[in-house]
Amino acid sequence: MAHLLQHCHDTGWLVLAIAMIQFYMQKGSHKGLYKSIQKTLKYFQTFALLELVHCLIGIVHTSMLVTGVQVSSRIFMVWFITQSIKQIQNEESVILFLVVWTVTEITRYSFYTFNLLNHLPYFIKWARYNLFIILYPVGAAGELLTIYAALPYVQKTGMYSLRLPNKYNVSFDYYYFLLIVMAFYIPLFPQLYFHMLRQRRKVLLGEVIVEKDD
């Protein structure tokens, strides 16, 4: 069952990669790309919630904290940013994080799949623990720039916000919530990045690293 789930997720991101390449080759522009792949993206990115279950039951031996932060942030980007604010879907920053996510997930799930089959080619292991060095900062930049681009629309429309007075006597401002989300990248991104650097040293260089329980 685990093999099947890993294969399905890997196949999903391959489908997305092919769709993005075909779109760009046909249109010669990134405008409209997000709209053309949004259904597939929403399905497979939401499907990633199963990763938390995999961590919990030990199918995938990785940090629950790191996986939780990564999965939740991506689902947030898909459902509460790019899907909800259609005016930003053609931003170059959206394409930036989409390309990064796609390459990262194809590499990562190929690694997990071949590892489960006990037949892991070295080039896949190398890609898994080297490509992130560039991809993770670029992806984070794409996400932050996309949220930043969304701020004027959120402020103007008041979307997802709750103003006083109301029957619940509670207020919530989505604009300031997004500012807080952006600020949280400062402490959270280094944790994810340095976790991967430690894993890289352990897997590729054979270092023995003792990590604290997350």
Side-chain angles (χ1 to χ4, degrees):
M1 182 64 177
H3 293 64
L4 178 61
L5 291 174
Q6 301 285 9
H7 178 70
C8 286
H9 206 141
D10 196 16
T11 301
W13 286 99
L14 280 171
V15 169
L16 276 169
I18 293 169
M20 286 192 285
I21 292 169
Q22 286 181 335
F23 182 93
Y24 193 82
M25 290 179 66
Q26 291 172 2
K27 306 291 185 180
S29 170
H30 68 278
K31 293 184 177 181
L33 190 152
Y34 183 87
K35 185 177 180 180
S36 73
I37 65 165
Q38 60 182 337
K39 289 183 180 179
T40 306
L41 175 66
K42 287 186 292 184
Y43 176 80
F44 283 103
Q45 189 54 68
T46 306
F47 186 74
L49 285 169
L50 285 175
E51 289 186 39
L52 298 177
V53 179
H54 292 171
C55 290
L56 192 62
I57 63 180
I59 293 176
V60 176
H61 300 288
T62 189
S63 166
M64 187 73 171
L65 175 62
V66 169
T67 302
V69 168
Q70 190 174 52
V71 171
S72 60
S73 66
R74 288 185 178 184
I75 289 176
F76 177 79
M77 287 299 302
V78 169
W79 286 101
F80 296 100
I81 302 295
T82 47
Q83 181 61 29
S84 300
I85 308 168
K86 300 190 185 305
Q87 294 92 333
I88 65 167
Q89 290 180 358
N90 288 326
E91 292 286 333
E92 292 180 353
S93 58
V94 173
I95 307 306
L96 188 64
F97 75 70
L98 281 180
V99 170
V100 168
W101 288 5
T102 303
V103 175
T104 300
E105 294 309 286
I106 290 173
T107 304
R108 189 161 66 98
Y109 277 93
S110 295
F111 174 84
Y112 289 153
T113 299
F114 282 106
N115 208 27
L116 284 170
L117 296 172
N118 295 315
H119 182 71
L120 179 63
Y122 180 78
F123 78 90
I124 290 180
K125 182 166 73 171
W126 182 92
R128 165 65 175 146
Y129 290 104
N130 281 286
L131 293 183
F132 81 90
I133 295 173
I134 299 297
L135 293 177
Y136 277 26
V138 172
E143 293 170 21
L144 284 168
L145 287 170
T146 301
I147 296 174
Y148 182 78
L151 289 175
Y153 299 101
V154 173
Q155 189 175 40
K156 182 179 179 179
T157 62
M159 65 182 297
Y160 298 147
S161 298
L162 189 62
R163 310 294 188 192
L164 289 172
N166 59 69
K167 63 180 180 180
Y168 304 107
N169 201 32
V170 174
S171 66
F172 173 76
D173 195 311
Y174 190 54
Y175 175 84
Y176 289 107
F177 174 76
L178 290 183
L179 292 177
I180 293 171
V181 168
M182 293 177 72
F184 264 93
Y185 273 71
I186 298 172
L188 292 178
F189 176 78
Q191 290 189 46
L192 173 63
Y193 196 69
F194 288 119
H195 169 78
M196 284 302 298
L197 286 175
R198 289 193 297 269
Q199 291 299 106
R200 179 180 183 273
R201 295 203 306 271
K202 183 167 67 174
V203 173
L204 295 184
L205 305 178
E207 292 186 21
V208 178
I209 299 172
V210 178
E211 295 196 53
K212 297 179 181 179
D213 293 333
D214 292 315

